[in-house]
Each structure stands twice: as C-alpha cells, then as structure tokens.
Amino acid sequence: MLILSPSVLLSTTADGYVAYDVHLDRLYRLNPTAALVVELCDGTRDLAALERDLATVVRDDWPHWRDWLATAVCDRLVYESMPDGVPSVAAAGPAELATQADELQQRDRVLAAFVCQQRASGLAPDDPAVSLRLGELAHIVGRRDDARNAYQHYLSQCPDDAEVAHLMTALSDEAPPSRVSNRCIEQLYGRFAGFYDENMLGELGYCAPERLHRAATSALGTRTGLSVLDLGCGTGLNGSRWRDQATHLTGLDLSEPMIAKARARGVYDRLDTAEITAWLDTASERFDVIVACDTLIYFGDLTQVVRPARPRLTAGGVLAFSLERGECDAYQLSDSGRFTHRPDYVSSVVSAANLTLVSLDETVVRHEYGQPVIGLLAVCRR
Ligand SMILES: C[S@@+](CC[C@H](N)C(=O)[O-])C[C@H]1O[C@@H](n2cnc3c(N)ncnc32)[C@H](O)[C@@H]1O
C-alpha cells in the first residue's frame, strides 16, 4: 500500500503543494497532479488501485505518473508500506516546529521554514508569537494571502502593533497613507537601532550614503565649510560622510534610540529628536546642504518634504535624497512597507517646489533577500 512519508509536511500553493520532509530536510514542489498522487498515497491503495483511481485525471499519461511515483519511492517521499524508523511529523509540537523554522530560515531555507511554521501555527493558533512569525515567513516567501491572514490573526490579539498594522496596509489593496505613521517608525527603529549598522553594512550591503554623497558633492564641487542638515539621520551612517565638509552638521530623527546611536558616533554638532515635516514647518535656519538618505522611502507624497525644505536652503544650496525606484504609480507602498517612487514623479515634485534637478541617477542602494534594491539619487539646487 502506497503511503506518503510520515515525516513530510504538506502546504497548499496556488498550483499544488510544497512538501517538506522534516526528517530528510528535503523540499519538493508538487504540481496539481503530483499533489493528487501524494494525496491518494494514504495507505489504502496499491499501484493498481492508484492507476484505477487516477484514470480519469491522467488518462494516457499514466506511464509518466508511474515513473514519477517510482522516483518518489526512490526519494523516500512515498513508501510502499508504512516504514519503520522514520519519525512521524505528527508527533512534533508547535515549539519544536517553530524552532526548526528558525533554524531553516538561518540557513536561507525560507520556504521550508514557512511550511514548518504553518504547521506550528495550526497547532498553536492562539499563540500570537507563532502567528507573527508565520506572517513574517509568508511575507518573505511572497505568499501575500497567508501573510495577511497570519498578521490579521496576530493583530486581533495584539492590536497595538503599529509595524504589523502598517504591513497589513502594505499587503492590502487599500490606498496608502501619505507617509508611514510616527508610531510605526518609532516602533520599527526602536527595535532596529541595536543592530542597524551591523545589519545594513553587513547582510544588506547598504551603500546609499556613499553614493548619495558622491552625487551631491559632484554638484557642490570643492565647497567646504558647509552647514548640513541630515533628515532621518538614524545612527549617523550618512552624517559621517559629511563631517569633513561641514562646519555645522545637524541631524534629526524621530527615533530616540537611533538618535542615541548617532550621539554616540560623535559626528553631529546638533541632534534633534523630531518628525521631519513638523521640524521643517517651524524651522527658521538655512543650510547649504539638506540630505535625506534612505529616509524618504517612508514618505509617499514627496511634496510634504521637498516643498518645506526649499526655504531652508541657502541660495545655491543643495537638497539630495535617495529613494527606491518604482515603476507603476507615481509612488507606491510596496509589500516591504517602504515606498517606491517613479523617476518622472520625482522630477515633477522637484520642479513644482521651484528647485532645479541637477541629477537623478539610478543605482543599487542595498540588497534585500539577496536581490539588489534599485534606488534613485536625486540632487536638486535652489
Ligand atoms: C533607513 S533609516 C536611514 C538612516 C540614515 N539616514 C542612514 O542612511 O543610515 C531611516 C531613518 O529615517 C527616520 N525617519 C523615518 N521617517 C521619519 C520622519 N517622518 N521623521 C523623522 N525621522 C524619520 C527613521 O527613524 C530612521 O532612523
């Protein structure tokens, strides 16, 4: 009697199953017919019975599926009788499966991690931490519906989580907000501050500060003695690029833990914990350079920063900012929870604010899940 390996977990996909063998650490992608074949391998059929039950589905293709099954038996996805010594995944509890999911993710086996976490969540539906992890893993593997469902379930238990609420907006088809909420930024960077530099410079290969600085200095020439304002200064990775050219360097950021890191870096003359648009609305000083590196990715409508930044520039002063490049709408909230912007939209916002666009370059600004993130570097002059 043919039987699916007891150490295999199945997860439905839009077109079949993903099967993960927890014991052998093997992942299989099964198309709809393969999915049906393994479903029918439930210990009640031999090969002849399987052929009979599949007849109307596979018709003349039976020889192919017989060969496929022979390979599945060789691979130990399917057994010809209940095997001895193969641990059954049915005995694994949610904590064990969640731990396995963490280990798999560390080894970049994210789809397998998702399958394990999905089972963990089925076993512990009332544990918000399990739902949250399921949402994260579903999000990473691009299973938007699963991510939405898991985050929704998590939010029903933890409604105050502003980051997850924002991700739900990103994963929905709702109109995006004009910028990411203060609460979300504060929560996100309150958590991120402790490992921001290490993560950005290591795994994510973050190079926007260096590239934006190069683009801006080619517009500024050899000018030194500058007053520089760093919007969303974070821990100071960007500000430190400007230290040598600046006689006065101001940083501002909404996140107090990020500001604390910037303070410890010791490159700024002044640091303010403030929200950018609120700060610009009340500011009276002028700067030779205003720079926003990887900050306006949290703003959809760029006018809300570009327009009030203009009067804060000295004559001939430069506003430089980096973005993530988008292709569809003028701006769009992507699944990552960050905004992307289309180049022609950026040009139109700059000219509507009565600034001259000096350059708008495309470049890789960092990596995400091993893929390059294409950014835009905008340099404008008053
Ligand atoms: C990706 S980090 C970039 C930090 C730094 N510019 C760098 O290049 O490393 C984005 C920063 O923008 C800040 N931020 C986002 N939205 C903000 C807002 N509306 N007002 C002030 N800071 C904001 C965040 O707190 C975070 O520190």
Side-chain angles (χ1 to χ4, degrees):
M1 295 295 168
L2 295 161
I3 187 149
L4 178 68
S5 168
S7 59
V8 164
L9 287 173
L10 295 176
S11 170
T12 50
T13 63
D15 58 352
Y17 277 139
V18 168
Y20 176 61
D21 190 319
V22 176
H23 176 52
L24 298 176
D25 188 18
R26 277 190 203 146
L27 191 75
Y28 307 82
R29 285 164 213 270
L30 308 179
N31 71 18
T33 312
L36 178 62
V37 173
V38 299
E39 263 181 31
L40 294 178
C41 291
D42 60 358
T44 65
R45 293 172 181 80
D46 59 11
L47 193 61
L50 189 70
E51 180 181 2
R52 191 186 57 241
D53 289 345
L54 277 173
T56 54
V57 178
V58 303
R59 298 173 191 273
D60 297 344
D61 256 357
W62 170 245
H64 165 78
W65 287 103
R66 192 186 50 217
D67 292 350
W68 183 87
L69 202 57
T71 308
V73 169
C74 283
D75 287 346
R76 292 180 278 165
L77 174 63
V78 172
Y79 287 88
E80 285 167 319
S81 60
M82 183 55 101
D84 287 334
V86 176
S88 169
V89 78
E96 190 183 336
L97 287 159
T99 303
Q100 184 139 8
D102 290 345
E103 285 165 5
L104 284 162
Q105 188 183 13
Q106 276 159 25
R107 291 194 280 123
D108 281 337
R109 306 279 313 277
V110 197
L111 188 53
F114 164 77
V115 175
C116 288
Q117 191 68 26
Q118 196 177 40
R119 172 63 71 96
S121 170
L123 296 172
D126 296 328
D127 184 336
V130 175
S131 306
L132 178 60
R133 278 290 288 144
L134 180 62
E136 288 166 353
L137 288 166
H139 200 165
I140 296 172
V141 298
R143 292 178 67 147
R144 297 177 96 229
D145 289 347
D146 290 313
R148 257 198 307 262
N149 290 339
Y151 284 149
Q152 185 65 64
H153 189 54
Y154 164 79
L155 281 174
S156 68
Q157 292 157 299
C158 303
D160 293 335
D161 192 318
E163 247 184 287
V164 174
H166 175 66
L167 290 176
M168 278 296 286
T169 306
L171 290 167
S172 75
D173 298 323
E174 289 168 31
S178 69
R179 68 175 169 87
V180 179
S181 74
N182 291 3
R183 265 196 344 113
C184 176
I185 295 290
E186 282 163 348
Q187 185 184 325
L188 170 61
Y189 283 96
R191 189 171 55 75
F192 201 2
F195 58 99
Y196 178 86
D197 289 4
E198 191 189 342
N199 187 242
M200 293 295 269
L201 298 178
E203 197 183 329
L204 304 186
Y206 180 53
C207 51
E210 173 199 335
R211 295 190 175 180
L212 186 60
H213 179 257
R214 199 183 310 142
T217 46
S218 70
L220 287 161
T222 52
R223 284 180 67 185
T224 53
L226 302 167
S227 59
V228 178
L229 171 64
D230 186 4
L231 300 175
C233 63
T235 61
L237 285 182
N238 177 56
S240 54
R241 296 260 152 202
W242 289 92
R243 184 62 276 179
D244 290 349
Q245 286 146 284
T247 43
H248 199 273
L249 180 57
T250 300
L252 70 96
D253 202 286
L254 190 54
S255 165
E256 182 54 47
M258 292 293 269
I259 287 278
K261 292 278 176 186
R263 194 168 292 117
R265 185 172 245 116
V267 294
Y268 293 93
D269 300 298
R270 172 180 166 194
L271 281 166
D272 284 351
T273 305
E275 196 284 313
I276 292 167
T277 56
W279 193 94
L280 287 173
D281 276 352
T282 55
S284 54
E285 51 278 67
R286 290 192 179 199
F287 301 88
D288 301 311
V289 177
I290 300 180
V291 62
C293 189
D294 216 28
T295 300
L296 302 192
I297 53 172
Y298 295 110
F299 289 76
D301 177 1
L302 295 177
T303 310
Q304 49 191 331
V305 177
V306 175
R307 190 185 286 155
R310 185 187 183 276
R312 307 277 58 85
L313 286 171
T314 53
V318 161
L319 169 68
F321 52 93
S322 71
L323 300 163
E324 291 182 17
R325 190 199 62 192
E327 268 148 31
C328 304
D329 298 337
Y331 59 86
Q332 201 171 7
L333 183 60
S334 71
D335 283 3
S336 67
R338 305 185 302 266
F339 285 94
T340 61
H341 297 86
R342 223 176 45 204
D344 60 319
Y345 166 72
V346 179
S347 315
S348 70
V349 169
V350 169
S351 54
N354 206 12
L355 290 164
T356 305
L357 188 63
V358 179
S359 60
L360 184 62
D361 300 329
E362 270 187 40
T363 185
V364 172
V365 282
R366 65 191 174 100
H367 283 71
E368 183 163 41
Y369 308 127
Q371 297 300 314
V373 175
I374 307 295
L376 294 173
L377 307 177
V379 179
C380 347
R381 182 177 280 125
R382 175 170 177 171

